């Protein structure tokens, strides 16, 4: 079974609208971290937002928020007021086990969602 | 403050050859991880280096090997190249001293013909 599932291969959204990118995950480890990365055509993976499995509140970073529903094992990314520059690939990723000081286990990525913002 | 830098940006090799990719981590980072991203896919974890040792490895054959130097920079070596090794190779760095997320470089695009 896939550990990270992103069911939307591509999405078209009008500029200034909010957009939700879906992500579901599968793990039996009670301690894990969930990440969203943005990958423009340049190839660089840009960190957007992080949610720990024990975090009580949903993470927010500027226009990005993470809708974390632990019982459903979902971690959807919400982008408010979308901009043309938001057009890119978006990847959901998970790190299992304790998140101890950054130098922990490798990330497992989903297949990504190609988001296109239309003017 | 320089981020993660990788070289070269593009590389073309022939089947059976060997290749070395290089990565300098972000300033202050001591851990380097390597990922392979095939076209249209998400990155896949190859391995991670910390204190000049391989600490964790993904599901990749022994043809993939690496090294980390005392200045934390790292190399990824791939021997006996196959056509299927064509991909974007991403280097990521992080710090064991704080809960920093992975910072990625722009990658090296490897084409095997």
């Amino acid at each position: 079974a896939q550990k990270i599932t992103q069911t939307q291969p591509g999405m078209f959204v009008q500029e200034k609208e909010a957009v939700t990118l879906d992500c579901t995950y599968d793990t039996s480890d009670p301690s894990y971290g969930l990440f969203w990365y943005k990958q423009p055509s340049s190839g660089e993976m840009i960190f957007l937002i992080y949610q720990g499995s024990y975090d009580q509140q949903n993470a927010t970073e500027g226009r990005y928020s993470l809708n974390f529903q632990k019982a459903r094992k979902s971690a959807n990314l919400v982008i408010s007021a979308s901009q043309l520059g938001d057009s890119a690939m978006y990847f959901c990723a998970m790190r299992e086990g304790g998140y101890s000081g950054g130098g922990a286990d490798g990330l497992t990525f989903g297949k990504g969602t190609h988001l296109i913002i239309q003017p | 403050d320089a981020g993660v830098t990788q070289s070269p940006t593009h590389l073309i090799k022939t089947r059976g050859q060997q290749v070395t990719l290089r990565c300098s981590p972000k300033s202050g980072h001591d851990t380097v991880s390597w990922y392979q991203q095939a076209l249209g896919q998400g990155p896949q974890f190859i391995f991670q280096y910390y204190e000049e040792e391989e600490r964790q490895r993904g599901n990749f054959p022994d043809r993939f090997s690496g090294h980390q130097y005392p200045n934390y920079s790292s190399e990824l070596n791939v021997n006996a190249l196959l056509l299927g090794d064509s991909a974007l190779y991403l280097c990521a760095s992080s710090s064991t001293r704080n809960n920093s997320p992975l910072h990625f470089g722009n990658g090296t695009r490897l084409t095997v013909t």
Side-chain angles (χ1 to χ4, degrees), chain A:
Chain A
Q2 288 191 15
K3 292 203 170 187
I4 296 288
T5 302
Q6 294 181 253
T7 57
Q8 305 152 310
M11 285 186 71
F12 289 87
V13 174
Q14 289 297 120
E15 189 180 8
K16 299 181 184 177
E17 287 184 352
V19 56
T20 298
L21 304 181
D22 295 340
C23 172
T24 57
Y25 59 92
D26 182 28
T27 180
S28 57
D29 198 318
S31 180
Y32 53 89
L34 297 159
F35 302 77
W36 277 92
Y37 281 86
K38 172 184 178 181
Q39 187 178 41
S41 55
S42 61
E44 181 186 3
M45 298 288 283
I46 302 169
F47 167 74
L48 296 178
I49 198 166
Y50 165 78
Q51 180 85 42
S53 59
Y54 294 119
D55 293 344
Q56 295 297 314
Q57 294 186 333
N58 286 346
T60 60
E61 290 284 352
R63 293 187 301 113
Y64 305 106
S65 61
L66 200 152
N67 184 3
F68 182 45
Q69 298 187 42
K70 197 169 183 177
R72 297 179 59 187
K73 293 189 174 178
S74 76
N76 297 340
L77 176 71
V78 179
I79 306 174
S80 63
S82 58
Q83 302 170 357
L84 296 178
D86 293 334
S87 296
M89 285 293 294
Y90 287 81
F91 292 95
C92 179
M94 177 173 64
R95 172 186 284 152
E96 294 172 283
Y99 189 12
S100 55
D105 301 344
L107 296 180
T108 300
F109 284 84
K111 293 189 175 182
T113 295
H114 189 190
L115 176 64
I116 297 174
I117 308 298
Q118 297 175 312

